[in-house]
Amino acid sequence: GAGVSQTPSNKVTEKGKYVELRCDPISGHTALYWYRQSLGQGPEFLIYFQGTGAADDSGLPNDRFFAVRPEGSVSTLKIQRTERGDSAVYLCASSSQYNEQFFGPGTRLTVL
Amino acid sequence: QQQVKQSPQSLIVQKGGISIINCAYENTAFDYFPWYQQFPGKGPALLIAIRPDVSEKKEGRFTISFNKSAKQFSLHIMDSQPGDSATYFCAARGGSNYKLTFGKGTLLTVNP
């Protein structure tokens, strides 16, 4: 079956702009995660959804970052007033009740 | 505070050799330890995982060794192949906290 998909694959924006990154999880997976991976680093946790609600958003770096999952499937990560330091690959993962996390290919965000 | 420390940062092995990557953790609440393989431009893919009730798990050419008392675990790749060249990440997760904490990664190069 289809894996986790993320769109766009690349996003270039200017400092101060607003961006939305989309994640389509594996069908039937109730848990969804967002991670951020900077160059040469391991992924860092941002937020975790169980169903429609954010069960843990402790990794969001500040209030410019927000994520939603209104119908318990697709999720959107929203970044306001982007800064150059936000440049990274944003990874989405999903899991079933057995908790193995399957990652998407990521969205490479570049803030100029 | 880096909760999962991974070494070496990079590793070069000849085809047919053994690749060994080590990780150490600090949080004794961690109870699930996966290894991920990541190719350039792709998301991390689960390779193999272990829980602390066993000291070793083998899947094909990949083996995890786990030392609970030392809070260390390692990945061994037997008969390394050029196609194994990738970045490898160890990770850990604990209890009801579903987020993964990753190491910084090891860039493995297998020369033909």
Side-chain angles (χ1 to χ4, degrees), chain B residues 74-89:
Chain B
S74 60
L75 176 69
H76 295 232
I77 306 175
M78 311 299 288
D79 187 27
S80 299
Q81 299 296 312
D84 296 331
S85 297
T87 300
Y88 292 81
F89 294 95

Side-chain angles (χ1 to χ4, degrees), chain B residues 59-98:
Chain B
E59 291 184 0
R61 296 186 294 110
F62 301 92
T63 299
I64 299 179
S65 296
F66 186 84
N67 185 329
K68 187 174 180 179
S69 61
K71 294 188 286 186
Q72 295 175 346
F73 58 110
S74 60
L75 176 69
H76 295 232
I77 306 175
M78 311 299 288
D79 187 27
S80 299
Q81 299 296 312
D84 296 331
S85 297
T87 300
Y88 292 81
F89 294 95
C90 62
R93 189 190 72 205
S96 61
N97 190 333
Y98 294 108

Side-chain angles (χ1 to χ4, degrees), chain A:
Chain A
V4 177
S5 62
Q6 293 186 244
T7 55
S9 55
N10 283 283
K11 176 70 176 178
V12 180
T13 190
E14 294 180 343
K15 180 175 179 291
K17 299 290 188 181
Y18 167 83
V19 297
E20 290 189 351
L21 312 179
R22 176 187 168 108
C23 172
D24 281 87
I26 293 172
S27 178
H29 279 189
T30 57
L32 185 146
Y33 313 78
W34 284 98
Y35 292 82
R36 179 168 70 174
Q37 186 174 24
S38 300
L39 191 64
Q41 301 293 317
E44 293 182 315
F45 170 79
L46 295 176
I47 186 170
Y48 155 57
F49 287 90
Q50 182 61 253
T52 60
D56 182 352
D57 64 359
S58 62
L60 294 177
N62 52 60
D63 61 6
R64 295 187 297 106
F65 289 75
F66 189 71
V68 295
R69 195 185 184 201
E71 298 179 355
S73 179
V74 170
S75 177
T76 304
L77 178 65
K78 308 180 180 190
I79 310 174
Q80 298 178 323
R81 304 183 305 278
T82 52
E83 300 177 355
R84 293 192 180 89
D86 298 336
S87 296
V89 175
Y90 289 81
L91 294 164
C92 175
S94 69
S95 70
S96 68
Q97 59 183 327
Y98 301 107
N99 299 320
E100 288 188 21
Q101 294 184 27
F102 296 89
F103 283 81
T107 293
R108 180 174 297 279
L109 174 65
T110 302
V111 181
L112 302 177

